[in-house]
């Protein structure tokens, strides 16, 4: 996991000013200058209106850093609203991929977990690589799922909490204690087993922000519904956010459990305040437009957000129909369509990196947008803006981040959390072909720069 990475001293997040000059922003054809102070945007000017010298903009040059964006596109910083911290970069560690289906991925991952469950240094090294690479892409917010079960114990949680503190100056990391394995040991059990007791122990750790589970792994539908109730109850008593991996299938015979989540939250009453995040939800792709309208009506003003996970969803789903004329169906929540047709904003996230659930794909959330253009057949201006919002503003909403941008263009009062895409000139290009070279800004402080090294060797004909 060691790489050639230039690491400088941890940034000082004190009350310094940052003057960002010559950047392009959404809904503007001209370059602008942006003044940030104490982590907020306080001024915007046309880049040609005044000198870029801080003192000539009534700023203290002794406490102001100037960053020349060189005409690059500046957008809100990116967010991993759903990513697995403990099982990243483990492809083939628990065995080769043979069938490629979900049950094999569960088994292979369980084998790998048995190897690294007590290896704290391995957990830390892989976690650091994920966070370093993410911040360099432009990510400043992460919801990190960490598995808790009888194999992992609390070792993954403890390692994740160390990483959360280590990277606190450059990235806001939420730790989600996650039950990937079943809470009920056998189909006839009426009470949850040891995995549930470990999960309760994990969420009492200081620094854990979220409790989550995958109800569909339970032995029966009735136990899956009880799983939902147990998670919601634990979240309510401890003021934690909730994150369900839910309805991960394309089988019309399987009952969608989103209605159970909604019903149980409503039973808890108005005192239930946590934000609820629903990952995957591929089963909902089988809903008719009328059923979608009814579902959205049922959700109403509940603090509930869906997160599509295109890399995993399209890789995993539909494997039982490989011999049909068009091959296996591929599906993930249709982000631009749901916004356009139903006004429903859906986040997108990376989910897994280099493991049996998702062997392919980079850490870059913008790569999801580019992929989305093809799988959603969506390239209008409105579509591109919705895709970009899904990995920035909507993803931060999904994880309950309080300080968030309202639009893709910066406004006075917004958090000074941005990524500048050097060489990218338009918002459309940020989705269709984003540049590799980037500068990440967190709370008005430059926390990462990613630069490509280019060489072109002379050649002669003949």
């Amino acid at each position: 996991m060691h790489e050639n990475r230039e690491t400088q001293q941890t940034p000082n997040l004190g009350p310094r000013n940052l003057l960002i000059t010559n950047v392009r922003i959404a809904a503007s054809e001209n370059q602008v200058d942006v003044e940030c102070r104490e982590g907020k945007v306080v001024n915007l000017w046309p880049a040609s209106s005044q000198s870029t010298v801080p003192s000539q903009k009534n700023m203290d040059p002794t406490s102001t850093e100037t960053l020349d964006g060189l005409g690059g596109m500046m957008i809100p910083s990116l967010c991993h609203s759903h990513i697995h911290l403990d099982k990243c970069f483990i492809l083939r560690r628990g065995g080769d991929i043979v069938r490629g289906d979900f049950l094999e991925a569960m088994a292979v991952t369980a084998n790998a977990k048995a190897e690294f469950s007590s290896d704290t240094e391995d957990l830390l090294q892989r976690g650091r690589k994920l966070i370093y690479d993410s911040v360099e892409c432009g990510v400043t917010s992460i919801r990190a799922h960490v598995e808790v079960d009888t194999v992992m114990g609390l070792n993954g949680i403890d390692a994740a909490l160390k990483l959360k503190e280590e990277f606190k100056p450059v990235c806001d990391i939420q730790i989600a204690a996650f039950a990937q394995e079943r809470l009920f040991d056998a189909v006839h059990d009426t009470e949850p087993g040891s995995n549930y007791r470990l999960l309760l122990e994990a969420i009492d750790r200081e620094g854990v922000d979220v409790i989550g589970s995958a109800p569909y792994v339970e032995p029966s539908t009735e136990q899956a519904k009880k799983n939902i109730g147990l998670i919601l109850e634990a979240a309510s008593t401890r003021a934690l956010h909730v994150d369900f991996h839910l309805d991960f299938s394309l089988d019309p015979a399987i009952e969608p459990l989103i209605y159970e989540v909604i019903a149980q939250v409503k039973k808890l009453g108005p005192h239930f305040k946590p934000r609820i995040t629903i990952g995957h939800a591929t089963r909902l792709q089988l809903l008719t437009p009328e059923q979608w309208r009814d579902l959205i009506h049922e959700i109403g003003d509940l603090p509930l957000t869906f997160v599509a996970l295109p890399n995993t969803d399209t890789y995993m789903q539909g494997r039982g129909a490989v011999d049909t004329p068009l091959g296996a169906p591929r599906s993930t929540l249709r982000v631009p369509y749901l916004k356009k047709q139903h006004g429903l904003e859906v986040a997108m996230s990376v989910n897994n990196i280099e493991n049996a659930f998702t062997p392919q794909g980079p850490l870059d959330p913008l790569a999801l947008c580019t992929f989305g253009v093809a799988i959603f057949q969506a390239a209008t201006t409105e579509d591109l803006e919705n895709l970009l919002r899904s990995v920035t503003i909507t993803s931060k909403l999904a994880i309950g981040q309080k300080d968030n941008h309202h639009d893709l263009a910066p406004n006075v009062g917004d958090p000074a959390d941005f990524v500048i895409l050097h060489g990218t000139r338009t918002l459309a290009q940020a989705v269709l072909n984003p540049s590799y070279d980037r500068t990440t800004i967190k709370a008005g402080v430059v926390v990462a720069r990613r630069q490509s090294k280019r060489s072109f060797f002379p050649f002669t004909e003949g």
Side-chain angles (χ1 to χ4, degrees):
M1 289 299 161
H2 295 290
E3 296 184 348
N4 293 326
R5 190 191 308 273
E6 181 184 354
T7 304
Q8 299 179 358
Q9 188 176 0
T10 300
N12 176 11
L13 295 190
R16 289 182 54 82
N17 301 332
L18 177 67
L19 177 60
I20 308 168
T21 65
N22 302 314
V23 289
R24 301 173 192 272
I25 60 173
S28 176
E29 296 180 357
N30 300 313
Q31 297 180 34
V32 300
D33 295 347
V34 182
E35 180 188 358
C36 307
R37 188 184 308 145
E38 297 185 356
K40 298 285 186 180
V41 175
V42 296
N43 275 310
L44 295 99
W45 306 276
S48 60
S49 65
Q50 298 185 46
S51 168
T52 56
V53 177
S55 60
Q56 295 184 17
K57 287 183 179 291
N58 298 317
M59 300 172 66
D60 182 359
T62 63
S63 62
T64 301
E65 178 184 356
T66 300
L67 170 63
D68 191 343
L70 301 172
M73 190 75 200
M74 189 175 80
I75 61 173
S77 60
L78 307 174
C79 173
H80 287 318
S81 47
H82 183 130
I83 198 165
H84 289 267
L85 184 65
D86 53 346
K87 58 186 183 186
C88 60
F89 308 115
I90 60 169
L91 189 60
R92 293 190 172 85
R93 283 179 62 167
D96 288 337
I97 294 173
V98 178
R99 301 188 312 273
D101 59 18
F102 181 77
L103 291 178
E104 181 184 68
M106 288 282 287
V108 165
T109 302
N111 291 339
K113 283 162 57 177
E115 286 183 21
F116 64 68
S117 60
S118 59
D119 189 346
T120 301
E121 189 56 33
D122 176 65
L123 288 163
L124 291 172
Q125 283 195 6
R126 288 186 291 105
R128 283 193 188 101
K129 176 175 169 54
L130 184 145
I131 299 168
Y132 270 126
D133 289 355
S134 298
V135 174
E136 287 180 351
C137 285
V139 172
T140 64
S141 303
I142 295 175
R143 173 170 287 180
H145 293 280
V146 183
E147 295 188 14
V148 177
D149 52 46
T150 54
V151 175
M152 284 297 297
L154 300 180
N155 293 323
I157 287 288
D158 290 340
L161 289 171
K162 289 180 182 178
L163 293 171
K164 174 179 179 175
E165 188 63 26
E166 180 179 330
F167 285 91
K168 189 174 182 179
V170 300
C171 189
D172 296 322
I173 301 175
Q174 291 182 0
I175 304 301
F178 172 57
Q180 173 69 78
E181 305 290 339
R182 58 180 62 172
L183 301 184
F184 293 86
D185 294 333
V187 69
H188 298 298
D189 288 353
T190 58
E191 296 296 327
S194 52
N195 284 339
Y196 176 63
R197 292 189 290 275
L198 276 169
L199 190 64
L200 292 183
E201 190 177 343
I203 61 177
D204 284 335
R205 288 279 205 274
E206 184 177 354
V208 173
D209 310 279
V210 186
I211 182 173
S213 70
Y216 52 78
V217 302
E218 296 295 350
S220 71
T221 300
E222 188 60 34
Q223 288 167 322
K225 293 178 179 180
K226 289 183 178 180
N227 176 309
I228 291 169
L230 291 169
I231 297 300
L232 291 174
E233 180 183 6
S236 180
T237 57
R238 293 166 175 81
L240 299 173
H241 293 306
V242 175
D243 201 308
F244 287 118
H245 295 44
L246 201 73
D247 294 335
F248 188 35
S249 79
L250 289 177
D251 187 346
I254 295 178
E255 176 187 350
L257 293 177
I258 182 62
Y259 302 101
E260 182 70 20
V261 172
I262 294 168
Q264 292 202 33
V265 170
K266 288 182 177 179
K267 280 185 181 179
L268 289 170
H271 71 280
F272 185 83
K273 300 300 182 183
R275 173 156 287 279
I276 306 153
T277 307
I278 306 294
H280 294 297
T282 51
R283 170 64 177 80
L284 305 188
Q285 280 295 96
L286 302 179
L287 300 185
T288 65
E290 293 75 18
Q291 289 172 323
W292 266 112
R293 284 193 286 270
D294 290 344
L295 174 59
I296 292 168
H297 177 74
E298 284 296 312
I299 293 171
D301 59 359
L302 292 180
L304 186 151
T305 306
F306 292 101
V307 181
L309 306 167
N311 286 341
T312 305
D313 296 343
T314 55
Y315 173 73
M316 274 287 168
Q317 291 300 311
R319 289 178 172 272
V322 293
D323 293 328
T324 57
L326 293 178
R330 301 284 186 262
S331 197
T332 190
L333 287 174
R334 297 163 66 187
V335 175
Y337 172 85
L338 290 172
K339 179 63 169 68
K340 189 182 301 182
Q341 294 298 116
H342 301 291
L344 182 68
E345 286 205 63
V346 176
M348 288 197 302
S349 197
V350 168
N351 189 29
N352 286 298
I353 292 295
E354 293 184 32
N355 64 29
F357 293 97
T358 321
Q360 86 295 351
L363 269 165
D364 185 5
L366 288 180
L368 295 177
C369 296
T370 308
F371 182 40
V373 171
I375 59 173
F376 302 130
Q377 299 178 331
T380 68
T381 298
E382 180 183 2
D383 291 334
L384 300 181
E385 289 179 357
N386 285 332
L387 287 168
L388 196 54
R389 287 179 66 92
S390 75
V391 297
T392 56
I393 299 168
T394 310
S395 270
K396 292 175 185 176
L397 171 68
I399 66 172
Q401 185 165 316
K402 294 180 180 178
D403 203 6
N404 199 354
H405 295 81
H406 296 91
D407 204 347
L408 294 172
N411 292 285
V412 172
D414 280 351
D417 299 339
F418 299 106
V419 56
I420 301 174
L421 309 173
H422 301 290
T424 297
R425 295 291 182 258
T426 66
L427 201 67
Q429 194 180 8
V431 174
L432 299 170
N433 188 22
S435 57
Y436 176 88
D437 292 4
R438 303 180 189 183
T439 298
T440 306
I441 300 163
K442 173 74 171 70
V445 175
V446 175
V447 295
R449 288 190 180 95
R450 192 171 78 172
Q451 295 177 303
S452 56
K453 292 182 179 180
R454 295 171 179 155
S455 301
F456 192 87
F457 300 99
F459 65 94
T460 58
E461 294 183 3

